[in-house]
Amino acid sequence: MPGTDGLRVFVTRRIPAAGLDKVVDECDAEVWDEPLPPSREVLLEKIAGCDGVLTLLTEKVDAEFMDAAGSQLKVISNFAVGFNNIDVPEATRRGIRVGNTPGVLTDATADLAFALLISAARRIIEGNQYVRADRWKTWEPLGHIGQDLCGKTLGIVGMGRIGFALAKRCRGGWDMQVLYHDKHRNEAAEKELDALQVDFDTLLAESDFVSVHTDLNEETHGMFDAAAFAKMKKTAVFVNSARGPIQNQRDLCDALRNGEIFAAGLDVTDPEPVRADDPLVELPNCVLVPHVGSATVSSRNGMAEIAADNLLAGLRGQPLRHWLNPPQ
Ligand code: GLV
């Protein structure tokens, strides 16, 4: 097997030992060990002369990045399933292999999406803040009323692995009808979950819960804008655990504030991190968590293993375990 000894890599943040140990054992690795990412300037300095880089979704990997690394760069291994931070066509043009970490975070992310859905529908965070602020004085027949889940309609935008896993939970556990909007037909979802493929407007109009699981790309950027929120039910809950820029955040804020939709549950914002003075943070009907979809032990360990394997395979000139730009 071709070796990786002496090949230089930069790892842009400490990742679980399940993957990091292999990288450190097998290559000449530098690991950025600070809690915050390196500045762009420092990042470009650190990657100069590297044969491989292990990046997070916080790093913009574009032509400037690849120029700064140099023509010996063989592989970019992203510690994420999403890869909107990487200019993959540019890497392909340069013969650089690009890998990501799908599969191992499907259940964790679907669980988180469901946690957001039920928290927003049943006003869990609001209730928690109410108790902590010592405002709980009595049992209120008309207080804290949320939305039902059983038998409602779930609209999945992007019926890939994670969308399917959420739909399976909602169908099996809550007897929801499942609608989905996707360029591709998902026969398994139709067969196993009785899911129905519909156009975007139908999904918006008919769903009680709309959950986003699509990639961020030119077509999906800002697809949830004022016009989209206006087409949703006033009782609807919007959930996004995919990427923040898929929602127009100002329009989402207005829709939540003006009662055009009931609530939102967001694992992702635009920008990230969301600023403390962002109007979204003030809204009682918006549940916000800090991009933690994959934050479970087995998901993060699995991601670390795949990211390390992708990196080492790329350094050796071998096929990556999860290869985004294999030769056609
Ligand atoms: C997280 O958002 C990921 O893409 O893995």
Side-chain angles (χ1 to χ4, degrees), residues 57 79-84 101 105 241-243 267-268 291 294 303:
L57 50 83
F79 182 78
V81 63
F83 50 89
N84 57 290
T101 65
L105 45 67
S241 56
R243 286 292 182 268
D267 187 32
V268 290
H291 204 149
S294 65
M303 290 165 71

Side-chain angles (χ1 to χ4, degrees), residues 10-16 20 30-38 40 43 47 52-62 65 75-87 98-101 105 243 272 290-291 294 300 303-305 307-308 311 324:
F10 184 62
V11 180
T12 65
R13 214 89 82 264
R14 178 163 292 275
I15 61 167
L20 191 62
E30 184 179 0
V31 181
W32 182 257
D33 210 4
E34 304 284 332
L36 292 181
R40 181 75 177 174
L43 176 66
I47 60 174
V53 283
L54 196 151
T55 50
L56 306 195
L57 50 83
T58 40
E59 277 82 55
K60 187 172 167 141
V61 182
D62 54 5
F65 179 107
V75 57
I76 299 159
S77 172
N78 212 34
F79 182 78
V81 63
F83 50 89
N84 57 290
N85 58 313
I86 302 179
D87 186 344
V98 184
N100 69 337
T101 65
L105 45 67
R243 286 292 182 268
E272 286 184 13
H291 204 149
S294 65
R300 290 283 164 87
M303 290 165 71
E305 281 176 30
L311 183 76
L324 290 166

